[in-house]
Amino acid sequence: MTTTAVTTTAIDSTAINSTATTATPEHAPGEPRKVLLVTAHPEPGSLTAALASFAVDHLRAAGHHVRVSDLYAMKWRAALDADDFPDHPADRRLEILPAQGEATRTGRLAPDIAAEQEKLLWADAVVLQFPLWWFSVPAILKGWIDRVFTFGFAHGPAVPPPYSEGALAGRRALLATTVGAPGTAFSDRGIHGRLADVLYPLQHGLFWFTGMAPLEPFAVHETVGLPADRFAAATRAYGERLDRLFTDAPVPYRTLTGGDYDRAMRLNPGVEAPGTAGSDLHLRTV
């Protein structure tokens, strides 16, 4: 499930200087916002890169401020290891959560991690742009998640509880993916399962866990050999979604603290509508 190459221009990855804050302020309707776009594809002429470039131009034309983390261009190091914690003694067992928590608390994370955390704190919205590879994100993007969403920063006892008003509350989040298979294959009766279920670990387990409000994903299907007319249609549809980045209703996931779950973090019986199953159990009845 890979994407086809489309000629595009290089993405501007120049960061806008800003002071990081722990929460995003309220905005008036139509007021410019700050958007972080994280993109992952090794080919600068890929469809993923073309859509990322389109998103940057479209958002900036609408007056928004955009910062870009092009992970392959940055040569992002995907592996989480002891190098993430410069002060960790080489002769001591590496326990990831305590090491992350201590380095986060003392401001002693590796500089590349600290820079990406600052971007997340700066942003009002986060867009992850990626090809769907083996039903997930490319390894380099998974490594960005592993290394950047540290204990003590994105989750942990010192920050608000998960699946609620978490550490990154106030921010919106959009998955924008390209998929080789047709949409029918990712439907309720499709052989690959529903796209909502395939992306659930990101939508619920990353975005909502940390307090970000996930929007319905944007997907372009049947991307192998994508003709020009379908690329044009895809960018029009993408532009419409980006125009609603701050107005669309988020996916209505239940909160951990809203009374729907017991102390073991298990959904209370009878909360869901009859016949509800799977990941839909964790959606509020609207």
Side-chain angles (χ1 to χ4, degrees), residues 19 36 42 47 51-52 54 71 77 85 92 103 106 119 154 161 205 260 264 274 279 282:
T19 301
L36 170 62
L47 176 58
L51 290 171
F54 168 82
L71 300 182
R77 184 171 64 83
F85 321 111
R92 187 196 303 173
T106 60
K119 293 177 188 176
D260 289 344
S279 63
H282 304 291

Side-chain angles (χ1 to χ4, degrees), residues 30-286:
E31 183 180 346
R33 307 290 184 90
K34 296 172 290 186
V35 182
L36 170 62
L37 188 144
V38 183
T39 185
H41 199 290
E43 171 51 57
S46 66
L47 176 58
T48 294
L51 290 171
S53 183
F54 168 82
V56 171
D57 292 343
H58 190 88
L59 289 165
R60 286 179 175 162
H64 301 301
H65 308 293
V66 183
R67 295 169 75 170
V68 177
S69 290
D70 182 338
L71 300 182
Y72 279 96
M74 294 162 59
K75 299 190 181 302
W76 178 262
R77 184 171 64 83
L80 191 166
D81 57 25
D83 290 341
D84 288 357
F85 321 111
D87 293 340
H88 187 78
D91 59 350
R92 187 196 303 173
R93 175 187 174 88
L94 177 63
E95 298 183 65
I96 298 300
L97 291 186
Q100 284 188 336
E102 177 65 14
T104 299
R105 184 184 65 80
T106 60
R108 291 290 295 160
L109 286 165
D112 58 343
I113 298 174
E116 295 305 295
Q117 289 184 345
E118 187 275 328
K119 293 177 188 176
L120 280 170
L121 294 176
W122 168 88
D124 297 311
V126 178
V127 178
L128 302 187
Q129 181 82 59
F130 61 94
L132 194 69
W133 286 354
W134 286 109
F135 302 92
S136 187
V137 297
I140 197 169
L141 179 51
K142 179 58 165 63
W144 181 83
I145 295 167
D146 288 348
R147 298 182 63 221
V148 173
F149 286 73
T150 62
F151 186 75
F153 170 77
H155 64 109
V159 299
Y163 302 121
S164 303
E165 293 297 319
L168 296 175
R171 293 160 181 83
R172 288 176 159 246
L174 174 67
L175 299 177
T177 186
T178 51
V179 187
T184 52
F186 281 95
S187 64
D188 54 351
R189 297 178 66 85
I191 193 167
H192 297 319
R194 299 186 310 168
L195 188 62
D197 292 331
V198 173
L199 297 177
Y200 185 79
L202 296 168
Q203 290 279 87
H204 192 264
L206 174 66
F207 291 153
W208 185 227
F209 183 89
T210 61
M212 289 191 279
L215 303 175
E216 290 291 343
F218 174 78
V220 180
H221 290 271
E222 298 182 85
T223 56
V224 178
L226 190 74
D229 61 332
R230 287 196 56 231
F231 175 72
T235 55
R236 285 195 300 272
Y238 195 15
E240 291 171 0
R241 286 297 309 277
L242 293 170
D243 290 341
R244 305 194 306 271
L245 186 58
F246 296 100
T247 57
D248 274 354
V251 177
Y253 289 127
R254 301 178 188 273
T255 64
L256 179 63
T257 57
D260 289 344
Y261 298 92
D262 62 22
R263 294 178 65 86
M265 302 175 74
R266 184 177 175 86
L267 192 67
N268 291 318
V271 174
E272 74 279 8
T276 306
S279 63
D280 288 345
L281 286 168
H282 304 291
L283 296 173
R284 299 191 314 273
T285 302
V286 179

